[in-house]
Amino acid sequence: MPSKYPENTRLLIEEGLRKYFPKTRRPKEIYEAMSYSLFSGGKRFRAVLVVESARVFGRDPEFVLPTACAVEYIHTYSLIHDDLPAIDNDYLRRGKPACHTVYGEDVAILAGDALYSEAFRLISGVQEADDPRRIIWVINELATASGVAGMVGGQVVDIKSEGVDVDAETLDFIHEKKTGEFIKASVRAGAILAGATEAELDLLTDYAKYLGLAFQITDDILDEIGDTAVLGKTVGSDKRQEKATYPKVHGLEAAKEMAKLTTGNARDMLKGLNGDGSVLAGLADFVYERNY
Ligand code: GRG
């Protein structure tokens, strides 16, 4: 991992995922499929955001670990479903055959569904907070961001825009909903559990909006000029499916410039914070510089 990535946090999340993964093993197929996708690598970026956002307010990583792991469950769920033949039809994920390639479409769909429910079981059953209303608040934010007003809504417009000439506004809508809202909810979840005020949350929300946009622009650029072996997923998949992407709508060079600008904007939003935002700033740089 590059130096700006909080590797210790990533390792802590790996431990948390193992600790909280359901101990039941029947029916065997579904637990195997869930665990295959959950433990197949990945940057754990959204879970890292939960932990690092709470740390700004002086909270230990362990305090928000159940929610950080739940966020990773939801993310893994979205990847499993995204790769399905009915959606993006990708056979490679995190350098390995996609879940449906190994376990079949039926089990892969159910593994995604099960991870999604496990996420909310984990937060509602294990997460603690000084004020329990903050747990409900977090559940509401994550459900909204992953539902029709977020990931699902963005994905629908994404699918329906394949092969269509999409304008810049529609492109922004797709990515804000499909990727941005969940990144924003991850940042906010850590801060909410750590007891952030509305004013502090507003600053972090603006940071997260720029971060999510930079993340997606980089993702689109990597799909165009990245390396399949490094990325762990097939390069050129967007082009093959005639997807709306930043390089397609704005041109590759303009997209690179946009990624740089939005990363700078994300960093700027942290300046008003009272706590130490240096790790979050480093994560913005990571998003811009990443090659995977
Ligand atoms: C599952 C809630 C839900 C909805 C189903 C399939 C779908 C609707 C939405 C797709 C959302 C999706 C997969 C967006 C792509 C986001 C993206 C850029 C994923 C790659 O994230 P990384 O780079 O991956 O963080 P790693 O492997 O590092 O975890």
Side-chain angles (χ1 to χ4, degrees):
M1 288 278 168
S3 58
K4 282 176 185 154
Y5 205 77
E7 180 63 5
N8 287 344
T9 307
R10 193 186 66 77
L11 292 174
L12 193 84
I13 288 153
E14 294 296 339
E15 266 174 45
L17 288 170
R18 268 188 285 278
K19 174 172 155 193
Y20 294 123
F21 192 74
K23 300 293 174 280
T24 327
R25 288 291 179 272
R26 283 179 66 198
K28 184 167 141 285
E29 295 84 347
I30 186 80
Y31 286 102
E32 273 184 22
M34 288 161 74
S35 132
Y36 172 82
S37 288
L38 193 62
F39 298 109
S40 64
K43 300 179 281 297
R44 312 306 194 190
F45 178 66
R46 295 150 190 81
V48 164
L49 287 174
V50 175
V51 170
E52 295 304 339
S53 156
R55 212 201 293 267
V56 169
F57 305 98
R59 284 291 187 177
D60 287 341
E62 283 76 9
F63 184 74
V64 294
L65 200 53
T67 297
C69 292
V71 159
E72 198 55 38
Y73 282 11
I74 298 172
H75 172 60
T76 305
Y77 158 51
S78 77
L79 299 182
I80 295 174
H81 281 204
D82 195 48
D83 290 337
L84 287 169
I87 305 203
D88 274 2
N89 195 18
D90 271 318
Y91 63 90
L92 197 63
R93 174 65 68 179
R94 294 173 169 169
K96 293 167 74 176
C99 191
H100 67 88
T101 316
V102 180
Y103 295 95
E105 271 183 75
D106 45 5
V107 174
I109 290 169
L110 293 167
D113 294 345
L115 283 166
Y116 196 53
S117 344
E118 276 302 313
F120 292 106
R121 195 182 67 85
L122 189 52
I123 306 178
S124 57
V126 181
Q127 181 62 58
E128 291 179 1
D130 299 334
D131 177 350
R133 282 175 301 183
R134 291 201 170 236
I135 297 175
I136 305 205
W137 185 358
V138 163
I139 290 174
N140 181 273
E141 296 251 343
L142 293 175
T144 306
S146 56
V148 72
M151 227 187 253
V152 172
Q155 181 73 2
V156 171
V157 181
D158 189 21
I159 291 169
K160 298 298 172 198
S161 302
E162 283 172 19
V164 172
D165 268 337
V166 155
D167 59 23
E169 197 190 325
T170 309
L171 178 72
D172 285 344
F173 177 90
I174 293 171
H175 292 313
E176 186 191 325
K177 299 295 170 193
K178 189 176 120 173
T179 317
E181 290 292 337
F182 198 61
I183 287 181
K184 189 179 89 187
S186 304
V187 171
R188 284 175 59 88
I192 290 168
L193 292 170
T197 62
E198 287 287 354
E200 288 164 333
L201 271 176
D202 284 348
L203 284 174
L204 282 179
T205 302
D206 289 340
Y207 157 79
K209 279 185 189 164
Y210 286 117
L211 185 76
L213 183 56
F215 190 91
Q216 187 58 54
I217 299 172
T218 319
D219 207 70
D220 286 357
I221 293 172
L222 287 173
D223 189 79
E224 194 131 318
I225 59 167
D227 179 342
T228 296
V230 180
L231 273 178
K233 58 183 180 181
T234 38
V235 166
S237 167
D238 291 341
K239 214 170 230 164
R240 197 180 64 245
Q241 294 171 86
E242 299 181 60
K243 290 252 189 205
T245 67
Y246 282 91
K248 185 179 171 190
V249 173
H250 297 278
L252 184 59
E253 289 314 310
K256 284 182 184 170
E257 198 49 42
M258 286 168 88
K260 190 175 177 182
L261 268 175
T262 43
T263 303
N265 289 341
R267 277 182 143 276
D268 286 347
M269 296 304 128
L270 298 168
K271 287 182 183 153
L273 278 179
N274 274 331
D276 179 5
S278 60
V279 179
L280 294 183
L283 281 164
D285 293 338
F286 163 77
V287 161
Y288 174 61
E289 290 160 10
R290 76 194 175 106
N291 61 355
Y292 64 104

